[in-house]
Amino acid sequence: MDAKIAKRVMPIGSLSDRTGVKVETIRYYEQVGLLPQPERSEGNQRRYGRVHVERLAFIKHARDLGFPVDGIRTLLRLSDNPGMACDEAHAISVAHLDEVRHKIARLRSLEKELERIAATCSGGVAACDCAIIEALADHSQCRHERH
Amino acid sequence: MDAKIAKRVMPIGSLSDRTGVKVETIRYYEQVGLLPQPERSEGNQRRYGRVHVERLAFIKHARDLGFPVDGIRTLLRLSDNPGMACDEAHAISVAHLDEVRHKIARLRSLEKELERIAATCSGGVAACDCAIIEALADHSQCRHERH
DNA sequence: ATACGACCTCTAGCCACTTCAGGTTCAAGA
DNA sequence: TCTTGAACCTGAAGTGGCTAGAGGTCGTAT
């Protein structure tokens, strides 16, 4: 019974395997204060438990969703003090969603212009002069919004 | 007359105004070899001409399109030696287009998941407990009925 | 006892800038 | 002509979010 309840203590490599976060990245998260400092073995090696696995999974999920580290810090703080959390967490998520949508819109218009430019020149040496380079040199041909 | 021709020589701030590239960024481009070193005034200030305006416009356009600096360096080299240029320029553009499309696809799926997460909680303090934080903490899909 | 991989710290590197500190030059107004 | 003060200069350091390397220590299987 002690065996099961006792903390499943593991070194950093196992935490890495469990969460899919690289060892170096885990140490980096500790350094920047996203992960609490774990206990150490006699030989000074990090020993992690269930709490760390959960927190790191949270961080990874949020990073996969593109949240910046600073936003994650806030979300973690909120998750530590439930109750007040919802409004702020919602605001962070909505702001991030907004950003993602802007990025998508921007990339779509880039895609269009790149298609146009690349289509002008199909790659044959004789075919162009070169249209791509001219397109890049000359703004007037381009319909892209960000000038 | 001479006055007009002479006016084509300008300091860095004017080049910045004309191209929309920040002064510091212009100096950075010079430092990393994208822009040639300009003449200097007696007091050691940079003096730019038409050539620089054109080259910087090329660089800016390519950067706006998301080309990495290294790709731009190649494109600039190609534009200096026309003739051989087309195949390589085309390859660079197509590769970049490919990358842009991948980014779009990835962001779209992020958008969907963020929408799902943010929709679970509309922001009222009483409404959730908090679904966003749970969704982020969750390894599988969080059902927020249970606390 | 030894081998060997996993672990440790510290430092530097990546991209594409941006910011800062502390000084110099230029051009317009008095 | 002199005096402002905005624009310019250099060099170094900071940004985000890691990643990589050097050079050493620890833990465990045989």
Side-chain angles (χ1 to χ4, degrees), chain B residues 40-92:
Chain B
R40 298 288 184 128
S41 73
E42 280 194 15
N44 198 36
Q45 299 194 353
R46 291 169 179 83
R47 293 296 175 244
Y48 294 98
R50 196 175 43 81
V51 173
H52 300 92
V53 176
E54 280 167 19
R55 175 158 286 225
L56 188 52
F58 183 108
I59 294 168
K60 173 154 205 312
H61 195 180
R63 284 295 301 142
D64 282 350
L65 288 169
F67 283 89
V69 164
D70 225 46
I72 296 174
R73 216 188 307 272
T74 305
L75 289 170
L76 282 169
R77 188 172 47 72
L78 296 177
S79 82
D80 290 340
N81 317 338
M84 312 295 300
C86 194
D87 269 1
E88 214 172 327
H90 190 255
I92 290 171

Side-chain angles (χ1 to χ4, degrees), chain B residues 7-113:
Chain B
K7 272 245 166 171
R8 283 185 310 185
V9 172
M10 63 187 112
I12 197 166
S14 311
L15 180 62
S16 171
D17 291 343
R18 267 188 204 216
T19 57
V21 178
K22 285 187 185 169
V23 167
E24 296 82 5
T25 307
I26 295 172
R27 287 196 282 249
Y28 168 76
Y29 285 159
E30 180 184 327
Q31 199 187 310
V32 299
L34 282 190
L35 266 186
Q37 296 189 350
E39 313 265 308
R40 298 288 184 128
S41 73
E42 280 194 15
N44 198 36
Q45 299 194 353
R46 291 169 179 83
R47 293 296 175 244
Y48 294 98
R50 196 175 43 81
V51 173
H52 300 92
V53 176
E54 280 167 19
R55 175 158 286 225
L56 188 52
F58 183 108
I59 294 168
K60 173 154 205 312
H61 195 180
R63 284 295 301 142
D64 282 350
L65 288 169
F67 283 89
V69 164
D70 225 46
I72 296 174
R73 216 188 307 272
T74 305
L75 289 170
L76 282 169
R77 188 172 47 72
L78 296 177
S79 82
D80 290 340
N81 317 338
M84 312 295 300
C86 194
D87 269 1
E88 214 172 327
H90 190 255
I92 290 171
S93 296
V94 167
H96 183 53
L97 178 54
D98 222 56
E99 231 178 79
V100 168
R101 284 179 175 149
H102 274 98
K103 274 188 196 162
I104 290 172
R106 195 163 164 297
L107 283 173
R108 283 223 189 100
S109 86
L110 293 186
E111 185 190 17
K112 285 208 185 74
E113 189 170 355

